[in-house]
Amino acid sequence: MDPRPWLAHYPDGVPPAVDPDAHASLPDLLATAFRTHADKPFSVCMDRWMSYGELDRLSAALGAWLQSRGLSRGDRVAVMLPNVPQFAVAMAAVLRAGYTCVNVNPLYTARELHHQLTDSGAVAIVILENFAHTLADAIEGTAVRDVVLTAMGDQLGGAYGAWITFAVRHLAKMVPAFRLPLTDGRSVTPWPQALAAGAARPLAQHATGLDDIAFLQYTGGTTGLSKGAVLTQRNIVAAMLQAEAWFAPALGQVGDPGKLNSIAALPLYHIFALTLCLLAIRQGSHLTLIPNPRDIGKFVAVLKKRPFHMLPAVNTLFNALLQHPEFKTVDFSHLRVSQAGGMAASEGTARAWQDATGSPMVEGWGMSETCAIGTNNPVTTTGYSGTIGLPLPGIDIAIKDDAGADLPHGTPGEICIRGPNVMRGYWQQPEETARAFTADGYLRTGDIGTMDAAGVTRIVDRKKDMILVSGFNVFPNELENVVSTCPGVVECAAVGVACERQGEAIKLFVVRRDATLTEDAVMRFCAERLTGYKRPRQVEFRDALPKTNVGKILRRQLREPQ
């Protein structure tokens, strides 16, 4: 078999590989981009803009402040922020100062935060005050000595920023009371104070290189304790270059990259949006930050304000936008890429999105361990394919059995990936790392899929989500994809439940648009489209489905008894 059949199907101009070693280091790449694009806008949040020059100045100041606290090269610094301007400043500061960035989900519970801080060994954290109460409950027993506390309006400017902070604290009451313990020499420094102190100091240039760790990117944690994927500077630079090359056939149509506006609604602490942020820096384009994408009304209002060219989202977010009555008034004439990832794109949502916007949902696949995108449909695609597309430049995908042997085209097996974007391993977990890789250096992803002769990969499902019905394997994604096209269905999820007769039976959870949709109607729809053992035996209607903060449906919670 041709070891890389997908190369013959790349769009014109997409190279077969990228060269991350052309860059000395990730901090050098960032600093160069900041200087090159100094006068260009980098981000806009709540109608307040930040330029690349400001990002350069502020990140250098915060980085110098961190250095003044006596941190050692490679120390881990946690960043617990939503999509606000402070995120890019903090992330760049940590990297430029010679440290490792540990991205933290702001909505973590104290238990989850404590685990991530202790596991990573973070010695400092930058956190929005809205979540400081969680840190207060989690910080004891961790190595965290320095806390930088920022308010919502800190980077929104003058009187307006002060008003936003006041409104968040006192009107919306979104800052629960907290008291951070100051034992063991711990300090709490307000964001403006840290920036002011750092601005008076030079940023020392640590001699970092591509083999140094850039991020500890913790896995989603939908099953078991989350693990820190060790992402080196080379991994991150490779991912940036791969994404740049892949999106070029569509985004190149915009012309000047400085005019390119990407919507950052997915959380920047997540690898998918983090890669988007870094790609924007690399290109000198700008981001529209959406601090709270759950407020679909405000999200749609932002989309109506100015042209946008790239909209990355998960299937559930695309679907939520489609349901809003004002969505149809948005101007989509500039939209070049509707990038779907993080979970399977359903055919029903994909069709509705393209009908509404004229832009096909381009589905891709990746993991924290692969710096986001591993495979993607070509951005020149004209419609929903039901696949995750082709490996990006420099990436090899193989379908393997449990023993690590390659399987023939069309045979389901575990999707395995190798490339310069694939993590070094799991932080301080050598046994987990050893289990994660095959003898020939491929990362085992835990996803079951097939590859055809053209190199196109299709996900069948996650190993752990497979339902065993009377000895037959049923993959929930297939069933959910079918039901998503049923009239009146907004979204759905399928799980296996214990069944004395069959071992497991399929239970379907449905969020409906039409209150008159009945269980019998859903059953008839499935009977017309699915063979007997793949049909649900129960249908339960819900107002909403449980999801992670990234938008993935938590099937595990649906399995638990109410």
PDB file of all heavy atoms in Angstrom, residues 12-41:
ATOM      1  N   ASP A  12      -4.212  22.331  -4.109  1.00  0.00           N
ATOM      2  CA  ASP A  12      -3.055  22.987  -4.718  1.00  0.00           C
ATOM      3  C   ASP A  12      -2.411  23.943  -3.722  1.00  0.00           C
ATOM      4  O   ASP A  12      -3.093  24.720  -3.054  1.00  0.00           O
ATOM      5  CB  ASP A  12      -3.470  23.759  -5.974  1.00  0.00           C
ATOM      6  CG  ASP A  12      -3.863  22.839  -7.122  1.00  0.00           C
ATOM      7  OD1 ASP A  12      -3.498  21.648  -7.074  1.00  0.00           O
ATOM      8  OD2 ASP A  12      -4.546  23.315  -8.059  1.00  0.00           O
ATOM      9  N   GLY A  13      -1.107  23.870  -3.659  1.00  0.00           N
ATOM     10  CA  GLY A  13      -0.357  24.794  -2.813  1.00  0.00           C
ATOM     11  C   GLY A  13      -0.096  24.308  -1.409  1.00  0.00           C
ATOM     12  O   GLY A  13       0.697  24.927  -0.685  1.00  0.00           O
ATOM     13  N   VAL A  14      -0.737  23.215  -0.966  1.00  0.00           N
ATOM     14  CA  VAL A  14      -0.495  22.679   0.372  1.00  0.00           C
ATOM     15  C   VAL A  14       0.721  21.758   0.318  1.00  0.00           C
ATOM     16  O   VAL A  14       0.724  20.784  -0.435  1.00  0.00           O
ATOM     17  CB  VAL A  14      -1.721  21.925   0.913  1.00  0.00           C
ATOM     18  CG1 VAL A  14      -1.409  21.314   2.279  1.00  0.00           C
ATOM     19  CG2 VAL A  14      -2.922  22.855   1.020  1.00  0.00           C
ATOM     20  N   PRO A  15       1.775  22.040   1.086  1.00  0.00           N
ATOM     21  CA  PRO A  15       3.000  21.231   1.018  1.00  0.00           C
ATOM     22  C   PRO A  15       2.833  19.885   1.704  1.00  0.00           C
ATOM     23  O   PRO A  15       1.959  19.716   2.564  1.00  0.00           O
ATOM     24  CB  PRO A  15       4.016  22.102   1.759  1.00  0.00           C
ATOM     25  CG  PRO A  15       3.190  22.836   2.776  1.00  0.00           C
ATOM     26  CD  PRO A  15       1.881  23.122   2.087  1.00  0.00           C
ATOM     27  N   PRO A  16       3.681  18.913   1.376  1.00  0.00           N
ATOM     28  CA  PRO A  16       3.584  17.600   2.019  1.00  0.00           C
ATOM     29  C   PRO A  16       4.074  17.591   3.461  1.00  0.00           C
ATOM     30  O   PRO A  16       3.747  16.686   4.224  1.00  0.00           O
ATOM     31  CB  PRO A  16       4.472  16.706   1.139  1.00  0.00           C
ATOM     32  CG  PRO A  16       5.446  17.655   0.501  1.00  0.00           C
ATOM     33  CD  PRO A  16       4.688  18.931   0.300  1.00  0.00           C
ATOM     34  N   ALA A  17       4.877  18.586   3.845  1.00  0.00           N
ATOM     35  CA  ALA A  17       5.427  18.636   5.201  1.00  0.00           C
ATOM     36  C   ALA A  17       5.761  20.082   5.566  1.00  0.00           C
ATOM     37  O   ALA A  17       5.741  20.971   4.711  1.00  0.00           O
ATOM     38  CB  ALA A  17       6.684  17.768   5.306  1.00  0.00           C
ATOM     39  N   VAL A  18       6.024  20.306   6.850  1.00  0.00           N
ATOM     40  CA  VAL A  18       6.451  21.623   7.336  1.00  0.00           C
ATOM     41  C   VAL A  18       7.772  21.446   8.072  1.00  0.00           C
ATOM     42  O   VAL A  18       8.149  20.332   8.450  1.00  0.00           O
ATOM     43  CB  VAL A  18       5.408  22.267   8.273  1.00  0.00           C
ATOM     44  CG1 VAL A  18       4.106  22.530   7.527  1.00  0.00           C
ATOM     45  CG2 VAL A  18       5.155  21.388   9.499  1.00  0.00           C
ATOM     46  N   ASP A  19       8.474  22.545   8.303  1.00  0.00           N
ATOM     47  CA  ASP A  19       9.790  22.481   8.941  1.00  0.00           C
ATOM     48  C   ASP A  19       9.822  23.365  10.186  1.00  0.00           C
ATOM     49  O   ASP A  19      10.210  24.533  10.113  1.00  0.00           O
ATOM     50  CB  ASP A  19      10.875  22.923   7.954  1.00  0.00           C
ATOM     51  CG  ASP A  19      12.274  22.832   8.569  1.00  0.00           C
ATOM     52  OD1 ASP A  19      12.421  22.150   9.610  1.00  0.00           O
ATOM     53  OD2 ASP A  19      13.208  23.440   8.014  1.00  0.00           O
ATOM     54  N   PRO A  20       9.428  22.819  11.348  1.00  0.00           N
ATOM     55  CA  PRO A  20       9.465  23.636  12.569  1.00  0.00           C
ATOM     56  C   PRO A  20      10.874  24.041  12.963  1.00  0.00           C
ATOM     57  O   PRO A  20      11.074  25.039  13.660  1.00  0.00           O
ATOM     58  CB  PRO A  20       8.830  22.723  13.627  1.00  0.00           C
ATOM     59  CG  PRO A  20       8.991  21.334  13.091  1.00  0.00           C
ATOM     60  CD  PRO A  20       8.919  21.463  11.605  1.00  0.00           C
ATOM     61  N   ASP A  21      11.871  23.282  12.526  1.00  0.00           N
ATOM     62  CA  ASP A  21      13.250  23.591  12.895  1.00  0.00           C
ATOM     63  C   ASP A  21      13.782  24.834  12.194  1.00  0.00           C
ATOM     64  O   ASP A  21      14.911  25.274  12.467  1.00  0.00           O
ATOM     65  CB  ASP A  21      14.151  22.397  12.588  1.00  0.00           C
ATOM     66  CG  ASP A  21      13.850  21.217  13.502  1.00  0.00           C
ATOM     67  OD1 ASP A  21      13.600  21.455  14.693  1.00  0.00           O
ATOM     68  OD2 ASP A  21      13.848  20.069  13.016  1.00  0.00           O
ATOM     69  N   ALA A  22      12.987  25.423  11.306  1.00  0.00           N
ATOM     70  CA  ALA A  22      13.385  26.685  10.674  1.00  0.00           C
ATOM     71  C   ALA A  22      13.297  27.840  11.664  1.00  0.00           C
ATOM     72  O   ALA A  22      13.763  28.945  11.381  1.00  0.00           O
ATOM     73  CB  ALA A  22      12.507  26.964   9.460  1.00  0.00           C
ATOM     74  N   HIS A  23      12.696  27.593  12.834  1.00  0.00           N
ATOM     75  CA  HIS A  23      12.556  28.623  13.863  1.00  0.00           C
ATOM     76  C   HIS A  23      13.417  28.248  15.061  1.00  0.00           C
ATOM     77  O   HIS A  23      13.465  27.090  15.469  1.00  0.00           O
ATOM     78  CB  HIS A  23      11.099  28.775  14.275  1.00  0.00           C
ATOM     79  CG  HIS A  23      10.215  29.201  13.149  1.00  0.00           C
ATOM     80  ND1 HIS A  23       9.990  30.524  12.828  1.00  0.00           N
ATOM     81  CD2 HIS A  23       9.519  28.481  12.235  1.00  0.00           C
ATOM     82  CE1 HIS A  23       9.196  30.597  11.779  1.00  0.00           C
ATOM     83  NE2 HIS A  23       8.886  29.375  11.401  1.00  0.00           N
ATOM     84  N   ALA A  24      14.077  29.238  15.644  1.00  0.00           N
ATOM     85  CA  ALA A  24      14.987  28.976  16.760  1.00  0.00           C
ATOM     86  C   ALA A  24      14.226  28.543  18.009  1.00  0.00           C
ATOM     87  O   ALA A  24      14.655  27.646  18.734  1.00  0.00           O
ATOM     88  CB  ALA A  24      15.826  30.217  17.051  1.00  0.00           C
ATOM     89  N   SER A  25      13.080  29.200  18.274  1.00  0.00           N
ATOM     90  CA  SER A  25      12.294  28.876  19.457  1.00  0.00           C
ATOM     91  C   SER A  25      10.913  29.487  19.299  1.00  0.00           C
ATOM     92  O   SER A  25      10.702  30.393  18.486  1.00  0.00           O
ATOM     93  CB  SER A  25      12.954  29.419  20.737  1.00  0.00           C
ATOM     94  OG  SER A  25      12.883  30.835  20.761  1.00  0.00           O
ATOM     95  N   LEU A  26       9.982  29.029  20.101  1.00  0.00           N
ATOM     96  CA  LEU A  26       8.636  29.599  20.095  1.00  0.00           C
ATOM     97  C   LEU A  26       8.630  31.033  20.637  1.00  0.00           C
ATOM     98  O   LEU A  26       8.000  31.908  20.031  1.00  0.00           O
ATOM     99  CB  LEU A  26       7.689  28.706  20.890  1.00  0.00           C
ATOM    100  CG  LEU A  26       6.236  29.170  21.016  1.00  0.00           C
ATOM    101  CD1 LEU A  26       5.594  29.390  19.667  1.00  0.00           C
ATOM    102  CD2 LEU A  26       5.427  28.162  21.839  1.00  0.00           C
ATOM    103  N   PRO A  27       9.317  31.334  21.742  1.00  0.00           N
ATOM    104  CA  PRO A  27       9.360  32.733  22.187  1.00  0.00           C
ATOM    105  C   PRO A  27       9.946  33.668  21.130  1.00  0.00           C
ATOM    106  O   PRO A  27       9.481  34.806  20.981  1.00  0.00           O
ATOM    107  CB  PRO A  27      10.259  32.679  23.432  1.00  0.00           C
ATOM    108  CG  PRO A  27      10.074  31.295  23.961  1.00  0.00           C
ATOM    109  CD  PRO A  27       9.939  30.433  22.745  1.00  0.00           C
ATOM    110  N   ASP A  28      10.955  33.209  20.394  1.00  0.00           N
ATOM    111  CA  ASP A  28      11.526  34.036  19.331  1.00  0.00           C
ATOM    112  C   ASP A  28      10.495  34.288  18.240  1.00  0.00           C
ATOM    113  O   ASP A  28      10.369  35.413  17.729  1.00  0.00           O
ATOM    114  CB  ASP A  28      12.760  33.348  18.743  1.00  0.00           C
ATOM    115  CG  ASP A  28      13.387  34.155  17.611  1.00  0.00           C
ATOM    116  OD1 ASP A  28      13.914  35.239  17.879  1.00  0.00           O
ATOM    117  OD2 ASP A  28      13.330  33.674  16.448  1.00  0.00           O
ATOM    118  N   LEU A  29       9.719  33.254  17.881  1.00  0.00           N
ATOM    119  CA  LEU A  29       8.682  33.412  16.871  1.00  0.00           C
ATOM    120  C   LEU A  29       7.639  34.424  17.326  1.00  0.00           C
ATOM    121  O   LEU A  29       7.203  35.281  16.555  1.00  0.00           O
ATOM    122  CB  LEU A  29       8.044  32.052  16.577  1.00  0.00           C
ATOM    123  CG  LEU A  29       7.025  31.960  15.442  1.00  0.00           C
ATOM    124  CD1 LEU A  29       7.012  30.539  14.857  1.00  0.00           C
ATOM    125  CD2 LEU A  29       5.607  32.292  15.920  1.00  0.00           C
ATOM    126  N   LEU A  30       7.233  34.336  18.608  1.00  0.00           N
ATOM    127  CA  LEU A  30       6.238  35.260  19.137  1.00  0.00           C
ATOM    128  C   LEU A  30       6.757  36.697  19.136  1.00  0.00           C
ATOM    129  O   LEU A  30       6.072  37.621  18.678  1.00  0.00           O
ATOM    130  CB  LEU A  30       5.840  34.853  20.556  1.00  0.00           C
ATOM    131  CG  LEU A  30       5.109  33.519  20.726  1.00  0.00           C
ATOM    132  CD1 LEU A  30       4.888  33.233  22.208  1.00  0.00           C
ATOM    133  CD2 LEU A  30       3.790  33.514  19.989  1.00  0.00           C
ATOM    134  N   ALA A  31       7.965  36.897  19.655  1.00  0.00           N
ATOM    135  CA  ALA A  31       8.519  38.250  19.742  1.00  0.00           C
ATOM    136  C   ALA A  31       8.682  38.867  18.362  1.00  0.00           C
ATOM    137  O   ALA A  31       8.414  40.062  18.164  1.00  0.00           O
ATOM    138  CB  ALA A  31       9.858  38.214  20.480  1.00  0.00           C
ATOM    139  N   THR A  32       9.106  38.056  17.396  1.00  0.00           N
ATOM    140  CA  THR A  32       9.258  38.550  16.028  1.00  0.00           C
ATOM    141  C   THR A  32       7.904  38.965  15.458  1.00  0.00           C
ATOM    142  O   THR A  32       7.779  40.023  14.818  1.00  0.00           O
ATOM    143  CB  THR A  32       9.899  37.470  15.138  1.00  0.00           C
ATOM    144  OG1 THR A  32      11.199  37.153  15.654  1.00  0.00           O
ATOM    145  CG2 THR A  32      10.040  37.961  13.699  1.00  0.00           C
ATOM    146  N   ALA A  33       6.881  38.157  15.691  1.00  0.00           N
ATOM    147  CA  ALA A  33       5.539  38.483  15.197  1.00  0.00           C
ATOM    148  C   ALA A  33       5.022  39.761  15.850  1.00  0.00           C
ATOM    149  O   ALA A  33       4.417  40.614  15.189  1.00  0.00           O
ATOM    150  CB  ALA A  33       4.586  37.323  15.472  1.00  0.00           C
ATOM    151  N   PHE A  34       5.264  39.930  17.137  1.00  0.00           N
ATOM    152  CA  PHE A  34       4.792  41.130  17.833  1.00  0.00           C
ATOM    153  C   PHE A  34       5.421  42.386  17.231  1.00  0.00           C
ATOM    154  O   PHE A  34       4.750  43.401  17.025  1.00  0.00           O
ATOM    155  CB  PHE A  34       5.130  41.059  19.325  1.00  0.00           C
ATOM    156  CG  PHE A  34       4.425  39.944  20.066  1.00  0.00           C
ATOM    157  CD1 PHE A  34       4.922  39.494  21.286  1.00  0.00           C
ATOM    158  CD2 PHE A  34       3.286  39.342  19.567  1.00  0.00           C
ATOM    159  CE1 PHE A  34       4.298  38.480  21.982  1.00  0.00           C
ATOM    160  CE2 PHE A  34       2.653  38.319  20.244  1.00  0.00           C
ATOM    161  CZ  PHE A  34       3.165  37.885  21.454  1.00  0.00           C
ATOM    162  N   ARG A  35       6.723  42.321  16.972  1.00  0.00           N
ATOM    163  CA  ARG A  35       7.408  43.493  16.418  1.00  0.00           C
ATOM    164  C   ARG A  35       6.988  43.747  14.978  1.00  0.00           C
ATOM    165  O   ARG A  35       6.757  44.892  14.576  1.00  0.00           O
ATOM    166  CB  ARG A  35       8.921  43.296  16.496  1.00  0.00           C
ATOM    167  CG  ARG A  35       9.490  43.336  17.906  1.00  0.00           C
ATOM    168  CD  ARG A  35      11.000  43.413  17.873  1.00  0.00           C
ATOM    169  NE  ARG A  35      11.607  42.256  17.215  1.00  0.00           N
ATOM    170  CZ  ARG A  35      11.962  41.150  17.857  1.00  0.00           C
ATOM    171  NH1 ARG A  35      11.780  41.042  19.167  1.00  0.00           N
ATOM    172  NH2 ARG A  35      12.521  40.146  17.197  1.00  0.00           N
ATOM    173  N   THR A  36       6.861  42.685  14.198  1.00  0.00           N
ATOM    174  CA  THR A  36       6.510  42.830  12.780  1.00  0.00           C
ATOM    175  C   THR A  36       5.127  43.440  12.608  1.00  0.00           C
ATOM    176  O   THR A  36       4.898  44.249  11.706  1.00  0.00           O
ATOM    177  CB  THR A  36       6.560  41.452  12.083  1.00  0.00           C
ATOM    178  OG1 THR A  36       7.881  40.909  12.229  1.00  0.00           O
ATOM    179  CG2 THR A  36       6.219  41.575  10.602  1.00  0.00           C
ATOM    180  N   HIS A  37       4.194  43.061  13.472  1.00  0.00           N
ATOM    181  CA  HIS A  37       2.799  43.493  13.333  1.00  0.00           C
ATOM    182  C   HIS A  37       2.404  44.516  14.397  1.00  0.00           C
ATOM    183  O   HIS A  37       1.218  44.663  14.702  1.00  0.00           O
ATOM    184  CB  HIS A  37       1.877  42.277  13.428  1.00  0.00           C
ATOM    185  CG  HIS A  37       2.257  41.152  12.535  1.00  0.00           C
ATOM    186  ND1 HIS A  37       2.317  41.269  11.162  1.00  0.00           N
ATOM    187  CD2 HIS A  37       2.610  39.860  12.811  1.00  0.00           C
ATOM    188  CE1 HIS A  37       2.680  40.116  10.631  1.00  0.00           C
ATOM    189  NE2 HIS A  37       2.866  39.249  11.607  1.00  0.00           N
ATOM    190  N   ALA A  38       3.383  45.226  14.931  1.00  0.00           N
ATOM    191  CA  ALA A  38       3.157  46.083  16.105  1.00  0.00           C
ATOM    192  C   ALA A  38       1.960  47.015  15.971  1.00  0.00           C
ATOM    193  O   ALA A  38       1.217  47.225  16.936  1.00  0.00           O
ATOM    194  CB  ALA A  38       4.417  46.898  16.399  1.00  0.00           C
ATOM    195  N   ASP A  39       1.751  47.582  14.793  1.00  0.00           N
ATOM    196  CA  ASP A  39       0.674  48.556  14.609  1.00  0.00           C
ATOM    197  C   ASP A  39      -0.669  47.924  14.244  1.00  0.00           C
ATOM    198  O   ASP A  39      -1.667  48.634  14.113  1.00  0.00           O
ATOM    199  CB  ASP A  39       1.063  49.568  13.525  1.00  0.00           C
ATOM    200  CG  ASP A  39       2.268  50.402  13.923  1.00  0.00           C
ATOM    201  OD1 ASP A  39       2.446  50.628  15.134  1.00  0.00           O
ATOM    202  OD2 ASP A  39       3.036  50.801  13.026  1.00  0.00           O
ATOM    203  N   LYS A  40      -0.693  46.616  14.078  1.00  0.00           N
ATOM    204  CA  LYS A  40      -1.926  45.944  13.671  1.00  0.00           C
ATOM    205  C   LYS A  40      -2.747  45.534  14.894  1.00  0.00           C
ATOM    206  O   LYS A  40      -2.204  45.303  15.970  1.00  0.00           O
ATOM    207  CB  LYS A  40      -1.606  44.694  12.831  1.00  0.00           C
ATOM    208  CG  LYS A  40      -0.945  44.985  11.497  1.00  0.00           C
ATOM    209  CD  LYS A  40      -0.679  43.689  10.749  1.00  0.00           C
ATOM    210  CE  LYS A  40      -0.028  43.932   9.394  1.00  0.00           C
ATOM    211  NZ  LYS A  40       0.259  42.670   8.674  1.00  0.00           N
ATOM    212  N   PRO A  41      -4.061  45.402  14.726  1.00  0.00           N
ATOM    213  CA  PRO A  41      -4.883  44.920  15.841  1.00  0.00           C
ATOM    214  C   PRO A  41      -4.687  43.433  16.057  1.00  0.00           C
ATOM    215  O   PRO A  41      -4.594  42.660  15.096  1.00  0.00           O
ATOM    216  CB  PRO A  41      -6.309  45.224  15.380  1.00  0.00           C
ATOM    217  CG  PRO A  41      -6.235  45.207  13.886  1.00  0.00           C
ATOM    218  CD  PRO A  41      -4.878  45.734  13.534  1.00  0.00           C
TER     219      PRO A  41
END
